[in-house]
Amino acid sequence: MAHSHIHAVLQRIYAADVPEPADLEAILRLADEDELGLLFGFADVVRREYVGDAVLVRGIIEFSNVCRNTCMYCGLNRHNDQLTRYRLTREEILATAANIWQAGVKTVVLQSGEEDNLDSRWLRQVIEDIRKDFDMAVTLSVGERCREDYELWKQAGADRYLLKIETSDPRLYRELHPGMSFENRMRCLRDLVELGYQTGSGNIVGLKGQTTRSLAGDVRFFKQGNFDMISVSPFIPHPQTALGDEPAADLTMTLKMTALARIVSRNAHIPATTAIGSLRGRDERPKALAAGANVLMPNFTPAPYRRYYEIYPNKRCVSEDPQACPGCLEQMVATMGRRVDYGRGDSLKRAGCAPHTFSN
Ligand code: SAM
Ligand code: FES
């Protein structure tokens, strides 16, 4: 494609209320290095203009790997009986939150599998304790729950919620999540937005059965949802899952989706995901930071447990001391001429932005 034509397509995608599938698919098919450079450069300019050069840091605590769900790509799914299951106590979570606070990080992300037995009042207490002891934002990522639970946790002080749609293609969603419901996932996202959470969604790139058309649909979904945060992860096969023999995602396709997420969302917070850092056995997160991402999410889960939060194998930084993470991340970011921002990093969407709508 002529460079002027690529630029015109990118401009159309950037300016559109909802970009055309044909434009998105044309960009997703780019393969030539120079053409890809145009895409990543465009996303980088949008990133600089709307969120600046700072890279936000969020500290994750993976507090439980117990899961009732059946996601065919995920090592935590309930059929994996080779995994040692754990759940941190309230005291362990608070001690880990203290480590995050001492590292200077002002957002804690509490993530888990989907536990039938997760007591919503227990989690409410954990949120209240964190908010009482530390001046930091609380992000939850504990899956699909009823509206009442989301409301309880919001009232307890939770600020943000991450719930990836994984794929916005309902047919593909059903194939990959036996017994689960696309409609319920959408209901959850709607509830979270209505309750005032800064809401994050996202997808997995490289899933079996996924097409360029369905990836273009994911970008349209990101635009229509006007999400505060968007996470794009490459699929990494886990041997104890139904998709264990499938190939891992293509890094370039993952970077193209990251760039498009930036171009359509403009000021969403977009992580250079740990899965991007784990995909090839070497850390490719700088490439995501150069293609529109502006967030890093170091893992603070205590050592005895973190190797059991195995959503995919060979996850980055499973054996490192979490206290070493900030130094390591600062170095990565500094080599790119950018800087780490240890602030809360709240949503930039709130003031004067169009409300979220879901039309698909
Ligand atoms: N239970 C919560 C939920 O469903 O939102 C959060 C935990 S879930 C394990 C966290 C994320 O891991 C999922 O949203 C999914 O995108 C990602 N994930 C799971 N298996 C994966 C794989 N094999 N490759 C890449 N990402 C994966
Ligand atoms: Fe646990 Fe998908 S297998 S949320």
Side-chain angles (χ1 to χ4, degrees):
M1 232 196 287
H3 285 194
S4 58
H5 183 53
I6 295 173
H7 196 77
V9 175
L10 289 171
Q11 277 294 352
R12 271 206 303 274
I13 292 172
Y14 172 75
D17 282 343
V18 184
E20 291 300 324
D23 282 345
L24 294 167
E25 286 179 55
I27 296 301
L28 289 170
R29 279 194 294 267
L30 295 181
D32 174 90
E33 282 300 321
D34 287 348
E35 295 178 354
L36 289 169
L38 284 182
L39 167 64
F40 300 147
F42 194 104
D44 203 40
V45 169
V46 176
R47 189 268 308 152
R48 193 172 310 129
E49 178 152 336
Y50 284 90
V51 301
D53 277 336
V55 176
L56 300 167
V57 181
R58 325 292 203 189
I60 303 196
I61 308 176
E62 297 155 335
F63 69 89
S64 164
N65 69 352
V66 180
C67 194
R68 65 177 170 215
N69 279 345
T70 54
C71 310
M72 284 172 66
Y73 43 79
C74 183
L76 305 192
N77 86 78
R78 71 163 185 250
H79 300 304
N80 183 2
D81 53 15
Q82 303 200 22
L83 184 66
T84 304
R85 305 281 172 170
Y86 71 89
R87 191 211 288 168
L88 301 193
T89 63
R90 182 173 141 272
E91 290 71 25
E92 286 171 317
I93 295 175
L94 290 177
T96 311
N99 291 338
I100 294 175
W101 173 251
Q102 272 155 21
V105 176
K106 303 285 191 314
T107 291
V108 57
V109 181
L110 298 175
Q111 193 178 76
S112 70
E114 280 195 29
E115 264 201 66
D116 269 337
N117 298 330
L118 179 72
D119 180 350
S120 51
R121 287 159 309 174
W122 174 84
L123 185 55
R124 174 183 65 182
Q125 190 62 55
V126 171
I127 296 164
E128 284 175 354
D129 289 346
I130 293 177
R131 293 305 304 261
K132 181 163 56 68
D133 293 347
F134 314 102
D135 175 23
M136 56 183 167
V138 175
T139 302
L140 301 178
S141 177
V142 303
E144 297 174 30
R145 303 285 295 201
C146 63
R147 185 180 174 106
E148 290 68 31
D149 287 352
Y150 291 151
E151 194 163 10
L152 188 74
W153 299 332
K154 185 79 182 58
Q155 283 165 359
D159 303 277
R160 311 183 192 136
Y161 205 104
L162 305 175
L163 185 70
K164 292 171 69 174
I165 194 70
E166 318 294 3
T167 170
S168 65
D169 176 341
R171 185 195 52 78
L172 184 59
Y173 186 93
R174 280 179 201 113
E175 277 172 26
L176 295 171
H177 304 89
M180 293 169 65
S181 151
F182 183 80
E183 289 69 28
N184 193 50
R185 207 152 185 95
M186 291 294 290
R187 188 274 303 161
C188 290
L189 281 170
R190 239 177 261 120
D191 281 348
L192 292 165
V193 168
E194 284 169 17
L195 289 166
Y197 279 96
Q198 297 172 36
T199 304
S201 199
N203 73 343
I204 300 180
V205 175
L207 290 166
K208 185 179 184 203
Q210 192 176 48
T211 59
T212 311
R213 172 56 60 104
S214 75
L215 285 172
D218 292 351
V219 179
R220 287 162 57 84
F221 179 82
F222 298 157
K223 179 74 183 185
Q224 288 169 314
N226 192 26
F227 295 106
D228 303 288
M229 303 164 281
I230 300 171
S231 166
V232 174
S233 312
F235 165 69
I236 302 177
H238 186 297
Q240 261 92 51
T241 63
L243 301 185
D245 291 330
E246 295 300 318
D250 175 49
L251 175 65
T252 305
M253 185 58 90
T254 312
L255 297 173
K256 286 191 258 188
M257 284 296 292
T258 304
L260 285 170
R262 167 59 63 209
I263 292 167
V264 300
S265 76
R266 302 186 180 191
N267 62 357
H269 291 314
I270 299 180
T273 53
T274 304
I276 290 177
S278 310
L279 179 65
R280 288 186 164 176
R282 63 170 184 267
D283 196 349
E284 302 284 19
R285 286 177 296 178
K287 289 188 177 152
L289 289 174
N294 72 317
V295 176
L296 289 166
M297 302 180 78
N299 184 0
F300 282 79
T301 309
Y305 304 109
R306 54 163 78 186
R307 71 195 168 100
Y308 299 126
Y309 200 84
E310 198 193 44
I311 53 185
Y312 48 77
N314 304 319
K315 204 159 128 214
R316 269 221 78 66
C317 304
V318 161
S319 46
E320 276 78 356
D321 173 5
Q323 299 306 325
C325 283
C328 164
L329 299 183
E330 279 191 19
Q331 210 178 354
M332 178 197 304
V333 168
T335 44
M336 306 185 68
R338 286 164 69 184
R339 65 183 172 83
V340 170
D341 178 346
Y342 286 104
R344 281 171 52 106
D346 280 303
S347 173
L348 300 170
K349 296 240 172 235
R350 296 290 138 159
C353 268
H356 302 252
T357 51
F358 296 101
S359 57
N360 61 340

